[in-house]
CSV table of all heavy atoms in Angstrom, one decimal:
chain,number,residue,atom,x,y,z
R,39,GLY,N,-4.2,27.6,-39.5
R,39,GLY,CA,-5.6,27.0,-39.4
R,39,GLY,C,-5.7,25.9,-38.4
R,39,GLY,O,-4.8,25.7,-37.6
R,40,ARG,N,-6.9,25.3,-38.3
R,40,ARG,CA,-7.1,24.2,-37.4
R,40,ARG,C,-6.6,22.9,-37.9
R,40,ARG,O,-6.9,22.5,-39.0
R,40,ARG,CB,-8.7,24.1,-37.1
R,40,ARG,CG,-9.0,23.1,-35.9
R,40,ARG,CD,-10.4,23.3,-35.6
R,40,ARG,NE,-11.4,23.0,-36.6
R,40,ARG,CZ,-11.8,21.7,-36.7
R,40,ARG,NH1,-11.5,20.7,-35.9
R,40,ARG,NH2,-12.7,21.4,-37.6
R,41,ILE,N,-5.9,22.2,-37.0
R,41,ILE,CA,-5.4,20.9,-37.4
R,41,ILE,C,-6.3,19.7,-37.0
R,41,ILE,O,-6.7,19.8,-35.7
R,41,ILE,CB,-4.0,20.7,-36.7
R,41,ILE,CG1,-2.9,21.8,-37.0
R,41,ILE,CG2,-3.4,19.3,-37.1
R,41,ILE,CD1,-2.7,22.1,-38.5
R,42,VAL,N,-6.7,18.9,-37.8
R,42,VAL,CA,-7.7,17.9,-37.4
R,42,VAL,C,-7.0,16.5,-37.3
R,42,VAL,O,-7.6,15.7,-36.7
R,42,VAL,CB,-8.8,17.8,-38.5
R,42,VAL,CG1,-9.6,19.2,-38.6
R,42,VAL,CG2,-8.3,17.6,-39.9
R,43,ASN,N,-5.8,16.4,-37.9
R,43,ASN,CA,-5.2,15.1,-37.7
R,43,ASN,C,-3.7,15.2,-38.1
R,43,ASN,O,-3.2,16.1,-38.8
R,43,ASN,CB,-5.8,14.0,-38.6
R,43,ASN,CG,-5.7,12.6,-37.9
R,43,ASN,OD1,-5.0,12.4,-37.1
R,43,ASN,ND2,-6.6,11.8,-38.6
R,44,THR,N,-2.8,14.3,-37.5
R,44,THR,CA,-1.4,14.3,-37.7
R,44,THR,C,-1.0,12.8,-37.9
R,44,THR,O,-1.7,11.9,-37.3
R,44,THR,CB,-0.6,14.9,-36.6
R,44,THR,OG1,-0.9,14.2,-35.4
R,44,THR,CG2,-1.0,16.5,-36.4
R,45,MET,N,0.1,12.6,-38.4
R,45,MET,CA,0.8,11.3,-38.5
R,45,MET,C,2.3,11.6,-38.3
R,45,MET,O,2.9,12.1,-39.2
R,45,MET,CB,0.5,10.6,-39.8
R,45,MET,CG,1.1,9.1,-39.8
R,45,MET,SD,0.8,8.3,-41.5
R,45,MET,CE,-1.0,8.1,-41.4
R,46,CYS,N,2.7,11.2,-37.2
R,46,CYS,CA,4.2,11.6,-36.9
R,46,CYS,C,5.2,10.5,-37.1
R,46,CYS,O,4.8,9.2,-37.1
R,46,CYS,CB,4.2,12.0,-35.3
R,46,CYS,SG,3.1,13.4,-35.0
R,47,ASN,N,6.4,10.8,-37.0
R,47,ASN,CA,7.5,9.8,-37.1
R,47,ASN,C,7.4,8.8,-38.2
R,47,ASN,O,7.6,7.5,-38.1
R,47,ASN,CB,7.6,9.0,-35.7
R,47,ASN,CG,7.8,10.0,-34.6
R,47,ASN,OD1,8.4,11.0,-34.7
R,47,ASN,ND2,7.1,9.7,-33.5
R,48,VAL,N,7.1,9.3,-39.4
R,48,VAL,CA,7.0,8.5,-40.6
R,48,VAL,C,8.3,8.4,-41.3
R,48,VAL,O,9.3,9.3,-41.2
R,48,VAL,CB,6.0,9.2,-41.6
R,48,VAL,CG1,5.8,8.4,-42.9
R,48,VAL,CG2,4.6,9.3,-40.9
R,49,GLY,N,8.5,7.3,-42.0
R,49,GLY,CA,9.8,7.1,-42.8
R,49,GLY,C,10.8,6.3,-42.0
R,49,GLY,O,10.8,6.2,-40.8
R,50,ALA,N,11.9,5.8,-42.7
R,50,ALA,CA,12.9,5.0,-42.1
R,50,ALA,C,13.6,5.7,-41.0
R,50,ALA,O,14.0,5.1,-40.0
R,50,ALA,CB,13.9,4.5,-43.2
R,51,ASN,N,13.8,7.0,-41.2
R,51,ASN,CA,14.5,7.8,-40.1
R,51,ASN,C,13.5,8.5,-39.1
R,51,ASN,O,14.1,9.3,-38.3
R,51,ASN,CB,15.4,8.8,-40.7
R,51,ASN,CG,16.5,8.2,-41.5
R,51,ASN,OD1,17.0,7.2,-41.1
R,51,ASN,ND2,16.9,8.9,-42.7
R,52,ARG,N,12.3,8.3,-39.3
R,52,ARG,CA,11.2,8.9,-38.3
R,52,ARG,C,11.4,10.4,-38.4
R,52,ARG,O,11.2,11.0,-37.4
R,52,ARG,CB,11.4,8.2,-37.0
R,52,ARG,CG,11.3,6.8,-36.9
R,52,ARG,CD,11.4,6.2,-35.6
R,52,ARG,NE,10.1,6.5,-34.8
R,52,ARG,CZ,9.9,6.0,-33.6
R,52,ARG,NH1,10.7,5.3,-33.0
R,52,ARG,NH2,8.8,6.4,-33.0
R,53,ASN,N,11.7,11.0,-39.5
R,53,ASN,CA,11.8,12.4,-39.5
R,53,ASN,C,10.9,13.1,-40.6
R,53,ASN,O,11.1,14.1,-41.0
R,53,ASN,CB,13.2,12.7,-39.8
R,53,ASN,CG,13.7,12.3,-41.3
R,53,ASN,OD1,13.0,11.4,-41.8
R,53,ASN,ND2,14.8,12.8,-41.8
R,54,GLN,N,9.8,12.4,-40.8
R,54,GLN,CA,8.8,12.9,-41.7
R,54,GLN,C,7.4,12.8,-41.0
R,54,GLN,O,7.2,12.1,-40.0
R,54,GLN,CB,8.7,12.2,-43.0
R,54,GLN,CG,10.0,12.2,-43.8
R,54,GLN,CD,9.9,11.4,-45.1
R,54,GLN,OE1,9.0,11.5,-45.8
R,54,GLN,NE2,10.9,10.5,-45.4
R,55,ALA,N,6.4,13.7,-41.5
R,55,ALA,CA,5.1,13.7,-40.9
R,55,ALA,C,4.1,14.2,-41.9
R,55,ALA,O,4.5,14.8,-42.8
R,55,ALA,CB,5.2,14.5,-39.6
R,56,PHE,N,2.8,13.9,-41.6
R,56,PHE,CA,1.8,14.5,-42.3
R,56,PHE,C,0.8,15.2,-41.4
R,56,PHE,O,0.6,14.8,-40.2
R,56,PHE,CB,0.9,13.4,-43.0
R,56,PHE,CG,1.6,12.6,-44.1
R,56,PHE,CD1,2.3,11.5,-43.8
R,56,PHE,CD2,1.8,13.0,-45.3
R,56,PHE,CE1,3.0,10.7,-44.8
R,56,PHE,CE2,2.4,12.4,-46.4
R,56,PHE,CZ,3.1,11.2,-46.0
R,57,VAL,N,0.4,16.5,-41.8
R,57,VAL,CA,-0.5,17.2,-41.1
R,57,VAL,C,-1.7,17.6,-41.9
R,57,VAL,O,-1.6,18.0,-43.1
R,57,VAL,CB,0.2,18.5,-40.6
R,57,VAL,CG1,-0.7,19.5,-39.9
R,57,VAL,CG2,1.4,18.3,-39.8
R,58,GLU,N,-2.9,17.3,-41.3
R,58,GLU,CA,-4.2,17.6,-42.0
R,58,GLU,C,-4.9,18.8,-41.5
R,58,GLU,O,-5.2,18.9,-40.3
R,58,GLU,CB,-5.1,16.4,-42.0
R,58,GLU,CG,-6.4,16.6,-42.7
R,58,GLU,CD,-7.3,15.3,-42.7
R,58,GLU,OE1,-6.7,14.3,-42.4
R,58,GLU,OE2,-8.5,15.5,-43.0
R,59,PHE,N,-5.1,19.8,-42.4
R,59,PHE,CA,-5.8,21.0,-42.0
R,59,PHE,C,-7.3,20.8,-42.1
R,59,PHE,O,-7.8,19.9,-42.9
R,59,PHE,CB,-5.5,22.2,-42.8
R,59,PHE,CG,-4.2,22.8,-42.4
R,59,PHE,CD1,-3.0,22.5,-43.0
R,59,PHE,CD2,-4.1,23.9,-41.3
R,59,PHE,CE1,-1.7,23.0,-42.6
R,59,PHE,CE2,-2.9,24.4,-41.0
R,59,PHE,CZ,-1.7,23.9,-41.6
R,60,ALA,N,-8.1,21.5,-41.4
R,60,ALA,CA,-9.6,21.4,-41.5
R,60,ALA,C,-10.1,21.9,-42.9
R,60,ALA,O,-11.1,21.4,-43.4
R,60,ALA,CB,-10.3,22.2,-40.5
R,61,ASP,N,-9.3,22.8,-43.6
R,61,ASP,CA,-9.8,23.4,-44.7
R,61,ASP,C,-8.6,23.5,-45.7
R,61,ASP,O,-7.4,23.7,-45.3
R,61,ASP,CB,-10.3,24.8,-44.5
R,61,ASP,CG,-10.8,25.5,-45.8
R,61,ASP,OD1,-11.9,25.2,-46.1
R,61,ASP,OD2,-10.1,26.3,-46.2
R,62,LEU,N,-8.8,23.3,-47.0
R,62,LEU,CA,-7.8,23.4,-48.0
R,62,LEU,C,-7.1,24.7,-48.1
R,62,LEU,O,-5.9,24.7,-48.2
R,62,LEU,CB,-8.5,23.0,-49.5
R,62,LEU,CG,-7.5,23.1,-50.7
R,62,LEU,CD1,-6.4,22.1,-50.5
R,62,LEU,CD2,-8.3,22.9,-51.9
R,63,ASN,N,-7.9,25.7,-48.0
R,63,ASN,CA,-7.2,27.1,-48.0
R,63,ASN,C,-6.2,27.3,-46.9
R,63,ASN,O,-5.3,28.1,-47.1
R,63,ASN,CB,-8.3,28.2,-48.0
R,63,ASN,CG,-9.1,28.2,-49.3
R,63,ASN,OD1,-8.6,27.9,-50.3
R,63,ASN,ND2,-10.3,28.6,-49.2
R,64,GLN,N,-6.4,26.6,-45.8
R,64,GLN,CA,-5.5,26.8,-44.7
R,64,GLN,C,-4.1,26.2,-45.0
R,64,GLN,O,-3.1,26.7,-44.7
R,64,GLN,CB,-6.0,26.1,-43.4
R,64,GLN,CG,-7.3,26.8,-42.9
R,64,GLN,CD,-8.1,26.1,-41.8
R,64,GLN,OE1,-7.6,24.9,-41.6
R,64,GLN,NE2,-9.0,26.7,-41.2
R,65,ALA,N,-4.3,25.0,-45.7
R,65,ALA,CA,-2.9,24.4,-46.2
R,65,ALA,C,-2.3,25.2,-47.2
R,65,ALA,O,-1.0,25.3,-47.2
R,65,ALA,CB,-3.3,22.9,-46.7
R,66,ILE,N,-3.0,25.7,-48.1
R,66,ILE,CA,-2.5,26.6,-49.2
R,66,ILE,C,-1.8,27.9,-48.5
R,66,ILE,O,-0.7,28.2,-49.0
R,66,ILE,CB,-3.6,26.9,-50.2
R,66,ILE,CG1,-4.1,25.7,-51.0
R,66,ILE,CG2,-3.0,28.1,-51.2
R,66,ILE,CD1,-5.3,26.1,-51.9
R,67,SER,N,-2.5,28.4,-47.5
R,67,SER,CA,-1.9,29.5,-46.9
R,67,SER,C,-0.5,29.1,-46.2
R,67,SER,O,0.5,30.0,-46.3
R,67,SER,CB,-2.9,30.0,-45.7
R,67,SER,OG,-2.3,31.0,-45.0
Side-chain angles (χ1 to χ4, degrees):
R40 185 167 68 89
I41 308 301
V42 298
N43 213 344
T44 63
M45 184 182 293
C46 306
N47 303 322
V48 177
N51 295 323
R52 304 184 70 177
N53 64 347
Q54 301 180 47
F56 294 94
V57 176
E58 181 180 343
F59 282 95
D61 181 78
L62 175 63
N63 288 330
Q64 296 170 349
I66 293 174
S67 174

